[in-house]
Amino acid sequence: MQFRGSPAGRICLLLAFLLMAGCAGAGHSRTEPMTSGTFQRGVASWYGPSFHGNPTANGEPYDMWALTAAHRTLPFGTRVFVQSVETGKSVTVRINDRGPFIRGRIIDLSYEAARELAMIGRGTENVSLTILESPNASSGYMSKGEAASYWVQIGSFTTLTQAVSLQEQLANQYPNIRLTTVDLPSGQWHRVQVGTYPSEQKAKIVAIELEKEFDLDPLLIQGN
């Protein structure tokens, strides 16, 4: 393309062309996945109607229409910006539960949060997580004066014999290991947990050791 006329006129014409080109392109722009400040990147899943009304890990009932989520280690009350790597759609959720319980997934979204990301039909989505606000792990859902304590959950089984077997394998190395049973809509689950630890940081160190040494997929549980 050639511009005719005086040098000053050519410069003005070029600037006007660039301005119009920028405005024309703005209508077709697409939100790119957030990269700055990303805390974690991986696969998100969701849970919905069958869990509605059941207690979450922090004690409040699960509301499938609220913008909440389950995460393995983030303190309850943490606000997380979740963005799809593929579509750029995003949603902000509050952590009030523990999970996911399937290896390879990093967050379990409520039904409404998953609907915001348009991932209901697919079931999973590649996402990035950015922490917007994170309260102290020991505040928010504990009684005044109550000290925080953490367990490291190293397995959850539908078969009791599998849970007992894992407990026995690690009992010598981790003497304070327990087996708890919970009734969920999906059935009865037997959880093997190592503990207790006075801080989230100490529990994370143990979780990393267990993951490396025994190829486990641990998660942190706060409370007694």
Side-chain angles (χ1 to χ4, degrees):
M1 180 181 293
Q2 293 183 339
F3 296 96
R4 301 183 182 277
S6 66
R10 289 198 295 271
I11 292 173
C12 290
L13 189 59
L14 177 60
L15 290 174
F17 173 79
L18 292 174
L19 182 60
M20 286 187 294
C23 292
H28 302 284
S29 65
R30 170 173 179 264
T31 304
E32 293 297 325
M34 177 177 284
T35 56
S36 176
T38 298
F39 159 72
Q40 197 174 17
R41 191 182 288 264
V43 177
S45 50
W46 64 272
Y47 60 129
S50 62
F51 293 92
H52 186 69
N54 288 351
T56 60
N58 78 347
E60 65 184 52
Y62 169 65
D63 182 356
M64 60 183 283
W65 302 109
L67 295 177
T68 58
H71 192 273
R72 292 177 182 275
T73 58
L74 288 175
F76 296 139
T78 301
R79 292 176 64 249
V80 181
F81 181 82
V82 184
Q83 187 164 42
S84 168
V85 173
E86 284 130 6
T87 68
K89 290 181 180 292
S90 62
V91 64
T92 297
V93 298
R94 177 176 59 86
I95 303 300
N96 71 339
D97 207 355
R98 287 292 176 235
F101 298 105
I102 297 177
R103 194 179 187 118
R105 299 182 184 180
I106 63 171
I107 194 167
D108 251 348
L109 302 172
S110 67
Y111 175 85
E112 181 63 17
R115 199 169 69 87
E116 291 278 335
L117 293 185
M119 58 173 280
I120 296 295
R122 293 188 297 277
T124 59
E125 188 85 4
N126 290 317
V127 299
S128 64
L129 307 183
T130 303
I131 297 176
L132 300 179
E133 181 183 356
S134 183
N136 291 331
S138 60
S139 67
Y141 298 102
M142 303 189 72
S143 302
K144 187 176 180 181
E146 184 181 355
S149 62
Y150 294 86
W151 290 84
V152 179
Q153 183 164 300
I154 55 178
S156 186
F157 306 91
T158 55
T159 305
L160 179 60
T161 53
Q162 289 180 296
V164 171
S165 176
L166 179 60
Q167 183 185 27
E168 291 176 346
Q169 287 177 40
L170 300 181
N172 289 334
Q173 192 165 343
Y174 297 92
N176 193 19
I177 187 170
R178 71 180 183 181
L179 193 158
T180 63
T181 300
V182 294
D183 291 308
L184 299 176
S186 56
Q188 199 171 66
W189 289 81
H190 308 284
R191 297 171 175 176
V192 183
Q193 300 169 344
V194 172
T196 56
Y197 303 97
S199 70
E200 183 179 3
Q201 188 58 37
K202 289 185 178 180
K204 281 183 179 179
I205 292 172
V206 174
I208 292 170
E209 291 175 353
L210 285 160
E211 183 175 15
K212 289 180 178 179
E213 187 173 354
F214 300 101
D215 192 30
L216 297 169
D217 194 21
L219 62 89
L220 303 190
I221 304 293
Q222 183 179 338
N224 299 320

